Amino acid sequence: MALAGVKVIELAGLAPAPFCGMILADFGAKVIRVDRTKVFTTMDTQARGKRSVAINLKTAEGVALLRNLCVQSDVVLEPYRKGQNFRNPTLL
């Protein structure tokens, strides 16, 4: 596989990030999807080949855990528009 050994962290969101993560997983990357803790489960067609972890990003422990995952990864995919980030409570 072309991307074997590459670790990707994907912050769950809409459209581009999950699709990109799915393609990277298809090419052999290890993709870990970070979901919010209270997410309604629906059939996710773009979860193929990914692992998933639920983290509450509204707590200091959750943010620290996500930062630790990001430090250990090669790529971070985030779906937020310019100027926004995962700590903005309006996005969580």
Side-chain angles (χ1 to χ4, degrees):
M1 295 297 234
L3 297 177
V6 175
K7 186 174 179 182
V8 178
I9 302 298
E10 173 195 311
L11 299 176
L14 300 175
F19 185 71
C20 181
M22 180 183 69
I23 292 172
L24 292 173
D26 289 345
F27 280 99
K30 179 182 176 185
V31 180
I32 300 172
R33 177 181 170 150
V34 178
D35 288 311
R36 289 177 248 164
T37 54
K38 294 183 182 180
V39 175
F40 297 104
T41 56
T42 60
M43 183 174 204
D44 187 359
T45 58
Q46 297 175 347
R48 178 177 70 215
K50 299 178 191 175
R51 296 177 186 221
S52 180
V53 61
I55 300 175
N56 185 356
L57 297 177
K58 292 184 180 180
T59 65
E61 295 85 12
V63 172
L65 179 58
L66 178 61
R67 285 185 180 164
N68 188 28
L69 284 173
C70 291
V71 167
Q72 297 172 8
S73 70
D74 299 305
V75 177
V76 176
L77 298 174
E78 53 91 12
Y80 306 120
R81 58 185 196 271
K82 186 177 179 178
Q84 301 295 316
N85 61 40
F86 64 88
R87 291 184 294 162
N88 186 338
T90 62
L91 297 175
L92 301 176

